[in-house]
Amino acid sequence: MIRPWQLTWGATKDEIGQSLIGDDIVKKPHFVATRAVTIKAPPAEVWKWIIQIGSARAGWYSIDLLDNANVPSSREILPEYQKIEIDYFVPFTPDQKNGMWAKDFKEPEYILWWDKKGNGTWGWYLHQNEAGETRLITRLRTKYDFRFPWIIYYIFYDFGDIVMMSKCMLGIKDRAETKFRQNLESDLPNTACSGQLGFCAFFERIQRLSRIPFSSLVRVPPSCH
């Protein structure tokens, strides 16, 4: 009962069953986990938090004592890590010796990491819903090495991954929603003096951030057009 739940935490039946980019890389995996969370921010904003992930980078937004040498994960967007390219290395450990490489990506829709051996992939998929929010889906596909001592590692990985992964995804959710809300609030018009012009700028700012035409959701003053 526990293993099926932790392998599909937060995901719908459709999300669990859907084919995603990178599914063909690992043949006959022993571990396949599809997790998901809804984030009240557009994909372009969520993307920024994902590409800066990594030990000795922005951290993992998870249990810093275990995965980031007890250095607090960043609550800010770090410009120096706002980049990605094919074969870009993402460190998983503080010593920078273990990690995965960027196999494929399309901003701000998905990022696929892999181990360069075909034994492990980790995909991040961002879908925007009708409300302008992000449905973030992650999928891990891993083929186990049953030789000693690796089998010990994979036993803990199989049952403990959900703790780190759920906390990481909720950490992304919290940061992305907080920053997005702060950006919107910082653009609120000064109603004491800005009047209709301020509201126009406010609506336009929301439209740029969410990529949703607000004219379809609210009645925008004619002078905004």
Side-chain angles (χ1 to χ4, degrees):
M1 292 178 63
I2 295 177
R3 193 172 192 265
W5 169 82
Q6 69 100 345
L7 292 177
T8 59
W9 177 83
T12 66
K13 289 185 178 180
D14 287 342
E15 290 168 340
I16 296 167
Q18 74 179 117
S19 177
L20 296 172
I21 293 173
D23 281 352
D24 59 325
I25 295 176
V26 180
K27 310 299 183 183
K28 298 181 179 180
H30 300 101
F31 181 90
V32 178
T34 302
R35 283 80 172 245
V37 67
T38 298
I39 302 175
K40 296 180 180 179
E45 298 300 311
V46 179
W47 173 271
K48 299 174 185 178
W49 296 97
I50 297 174
I51 64 170
Q52 67 180 19
I53 276 179
S55 296
R57 290 162 52 90
W60 290 94
Y61 319 127
S62 185
I63 304 176
D64 295 320
L65 178 63
L66 299 179
D67 58 29
N68 205 40
N70 207 31
V71 176
S73 294
S74 179
R75 296 198 65 86
E76 299 294 334
I77 299 298
L78 304 178
E80 63 268 34
Y81 299 125
Q82 290 298 302
K83 59 182 179 181
I84 186 172
E85 58 187 26
I86 301 300
D87 284 338
Y88 192 84
F89 181 66
V90 180
F92 284 11
T93 54
D95 61 9
Q96 309 280 290
K97 293 182 178 180
N98 300 285
M100 283 185 162
W101 290 261
K103 171 69 171 175
D104 195 7
F105 69 92
K106 182 179 181 181
E107 183 178 355
E109 298 179 12
Y110 68 87
I111 303 171
L112 179 66
W113 301 337
W114 76 319
D115 64 349
K116 286 192 171 183
K117 298 178 181 179
N119 293 325
T121 57
W122 185 345
W124 303 80
Y125 309 90
L126 299 84
H127 305 287
Q128 181 167 299
N129 63 24
E130 294 181 356
E133 302 168 339
T134 300
R135 185 64 173 168
L136 174 61
I137 300 172
T138 67
R139 179 167 291 171
L140 286 158
R141 292 172 59 86
T142 307
K143 180 181 291 186
Y144 288 169
D145 184 342
F146 290 100
R147 295 174 299 175
F148 185 84
W150 282 107
I151 185 59
I152 304 299
Y153 165 77
Y154 283 120
I155 289 175
F156 284 100
Y157 171 83
D158 198 284
F159 291 98
D161 174 73
I162 182 58
V163 178
M164 308 291 286
M165 193 68 248
S166 60
K167 191 168 178 60
C168 172
M169 295 179 73
L170 292 176
I172 293 171
K173 172 182 172 69
D174 174 54
R175 287 164 171 79
E177 291 182 349
T178 298
K179 180 62 69 173
F180 183 59
R181 183 171 60 251
Q182 290 174 345
N183 288 340
L184 292 181
E185 290 174 350
S186 68
D187 286 326
L188 281 172
N190 184 341
T191 56
C193 61
S194 60
Q196 190 182 71
L197 182 60
F199 281 106
C200 291
F202 175 55
F203 283 128
E204 290 172 357
R205 171 63 173 171
I206 293 177
Q207 180 175 342
R208 289 199 303 275
L209 289 173
S210 66
R211 297 186 177 181
I212 293 179
F214 255 64
S215 59
S216 65
L217 303 178
V218 299
R219 184 175 179 78
V220 181
S223 59
C224 292
H225 299 288

